[in-house]
């Protein structure tokens, strides 16, 4: 426990320095460095990867998650997956505004990092269509190549989102994950994903904006 506290303190100190170090937001093909916030979150992401499960919630409290492009995508846009979390559909299977916010942010990241793969996750069908299928349809309609999109349409909660998506990570050798969701849900979702991967890969989050 003492080592874990020391490691958390080191992560916090190093990340605090990084918070003011960078400027600009990086994108695929750009020479810009990640923003200071993105660097900060990148350091806390790596630090939280190696703490005990019992300390994950405390470690996650160090994150300063925003809509900035995450550093992990800038470093490796090839085997880092963008995970867009579902939200309840309308009874006719239509997409609610909160889910469209998540999709628009995921779409922006997908365009900026065209080699990154996308996972859309969420079950709870309405009118015969799961959240994942509705999200996949939206992204394909917006011009994202179908081969980049994987639909996880069996989960009924954020915890299941994380568990079932981790099975996809394992099958295809994912080396990092960026979780996209709205508001305060992002931090809880990142915690659930970190618990699911159990330190195997780093996980960070991006706050969706409309």
């Amino acid at each position: 426990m003492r080592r874990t506290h020391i490691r958390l303190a080191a992560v916090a100190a190093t990340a605090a320095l990084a918070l003011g170090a960078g400027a600009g937001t990086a994108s695929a093909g750009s020479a810009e460095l990640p923003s200071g916030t993105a660097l900060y979150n990148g350091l806390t992401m790596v630090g939280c990867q190696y703490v005990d499960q019992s300390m994950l919630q405390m470690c996650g409290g160090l994150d300063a998650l925003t809509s900035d492009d995450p550093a992990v995508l800038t470093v490796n846009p090839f085997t880092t997956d963008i995970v867009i979390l579902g939200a309840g559909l309308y009874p006719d299977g239509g997409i609610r505004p909160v889910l469209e916010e998540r999709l628009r942010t995921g779409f922006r990241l997908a365009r900026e990092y065209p080699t990154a793969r996308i996972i859309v996750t969420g079950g709870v069908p309405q009118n015969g269509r799961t959240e994942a299928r509705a999200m996949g349809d939206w992204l394909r309609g917006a011009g994202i190549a179908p081969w980049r999109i994987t639909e996880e349409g069996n989960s009924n909660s954020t915890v299941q989102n994380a568990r079932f998506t981790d099975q996809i990570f394992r099958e295809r050798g994912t080396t990092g994950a960026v979780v996209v969701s709205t508001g305060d849900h992002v931090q809880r979702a990142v915690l659930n994903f970190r618990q699911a991967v159990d330190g195997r890969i780093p996980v960070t989050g991006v706050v969706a904006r409309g």
Side-chain angles (χ1 to χ4, degrees):
M1 185 66 72
R2 177 180 170 80
R3 287 184 180 179
T4 301
H5 280 292
I6 291 172
R7 187 177 293 153
L8 279 172
V11 170
T14 307
L17 292 173
L19 188 58
T25 300
S27 60
S30 169
E32 292 183 53
L33 292 172
S35 69
T37 302
L39 289 172
Y40 173 94
N41 288 328
L43 288 166
T44 58
M45 173 191 71
V46 172
C48 289
Q49 182 181 355
Y50 297 110
V51 301
D52 298 331
Q53 282 266 353
S54 61
M55 301 296 293
L56 279 176
Q57 187 163 4
M58 181 185 296
C59 192
L62 298 172
D63 288 322
L65 301 177
T66 68
S67 60
D68 286 3
D69 292 10
V72 67
L73 269 177
T74 305
V75 172
N76 178 12
F78 299 98
T79 54
T80 297
D81 289 351
I82 300 165
V83 184
I84 310 173
L85 299 188
L89 303 173
Y90 285 120
D92 66 356
I95 290 174
R96 295 179 186 271
V98 65
L99 182 52
E100 187 165 356
E101 284 184 24
R102 299 177 188 185
L103 285 165
R104 289 189 182 281
T105 297
F107 174 70
R108 174 180 64 79
L109 292 172
R111 287 189 62 185
E112 291 176 357
Y113 302 93
T115 57
R117 302 167 300 194
I118 305 107
I119 300 172
V120 288
T121 178
V124 193
Q126 293 286 359
N127 196 28
R129 188 161 80 146
T130 63
E131 297 162 28
R133 175 52 53 88
M135 296 160 74
D137 289 344
W138 191 99
L139 290 169
R140 286 184 287 269
I144 300 299
W147 64 265
R148 296 180 63 192
I149 303 166
T150 300
E151 297 176 6
E152 184 289 294
N154 296 314
S155 52
N156 297 317
S157 67
T158 309
V159 171
Q160 287 188 348
N161 290 161
R163 282 177 33 215
F164 297 166
T165 302
D166 184 48
Q167 295 173 13
I168 299 171
F169 292 159
R170 291 174 180 274
E171 289 167 1
R172 67 189 192 187
T174 297
T175 60
V178 175
V179 178
V180 178
S181 190
T182 36
D184 294 338
H185 185 241
V186 179
Q187 202 140 25
R188 177 164 60 86
V190 168
L191 172 61
N192 292 155
F193 272 74
R194 284 174 176 166
Q195 289 168 332
V197 303
D198 195 21
R200 198 181 69 260
I201 62 172
V203 177
T204 192
V206 169
V207 180
R209 297 177 70 178

